[in-house]
Amino acid sequence: MTVVKSTLPEPARQVVGDALQSTLVDLLGLSLIGKQAHWNLVGPRFRSIHLQLDEVVSAAREFSDTVAERAAALGLPPDGRPETIASAFTLPAPKDGWVRDTEVVEVMVESLETAIGRLRERIEATDKADPVTQDLLISVTAELEKQRWMFDAENWPKDR
Ligand SMILES: [Fe+2]
């Protein structure tokens, strides 16, 4: 039964559905690991990194809503249930317990880089299928690249 009719034909609907759902999982997961690191961070750079992590969390939460609503608007029911995130989230994440500031910065750079790499693949995949969704994915990528830059800059010099 079709509840919300899609304006996209098959197979574009499938391609766009996969791109939006996997982006939703990455963004919700990023918001969770961002808070995990925000709470468990220790080290001399606590204050700046603690605040920087909340910027990632805010951006990830805001874009997760936009991405999920884009899916719904196309007749694709978004799945943001905790069990879905737990089984589908695969980005690098901090270990449990206290985490040293240098380690947090490294894991956030890795996690954001992985998310950006996947987003760029989805940007390719949605090029013909739905340029409107592609445009949204480009905006998400721009924001995550900005966040990645800020953590990478925190990480210099790398051998300290
Ligand atoms: Fe806080």
Side-chain angles (χ1 to χ4, degrees), residues 27 30 33 52-53 56 60 91-92 105-119 140-141 143-152:
L27 289 171
L30 265 177
I33 65 166
Q52 179 65 25
L53 286 161
V56 175
L91 296 177
V105 170
E106 267 170 37
V107 79
M108 289 310 293
V109 169
E110 274 175 37
S111 200
L112 288 163
E113 268 176 16
T114 310
I116 289 160
R118 291 182 194 173
L119 274 160
V140 176
T141 307
E143 177 61 30
L144 296 192
E145 285 179 342
K146 181 181 147 192
Q147 298 294 339
R148 192 215 66 88
W149 152 53
M150 291 186 185
F151 280 107
D152 203 28

Side-chain angles (χ1 to χ4, degrees), residues 65-83:
D65 189 51
T66 313
V67 163
E69 290 183 357
R70 175 74 193 147
L74 294 170
L76 301 151
D79 186 354
R81 295 171 299 168
E83 60 267 39

Side-chain angles (χ1 to χ4, degrees), residues 82-102:
E83 60 267 39
T84 302
I85 311 309
S87 65
F89 184 74
T90 56
L91 296 177
K95 62 177 171 41
D96 69 343
W98 307 118
V99 193
R100 181 67 208 260
D101 50 7
T102 46

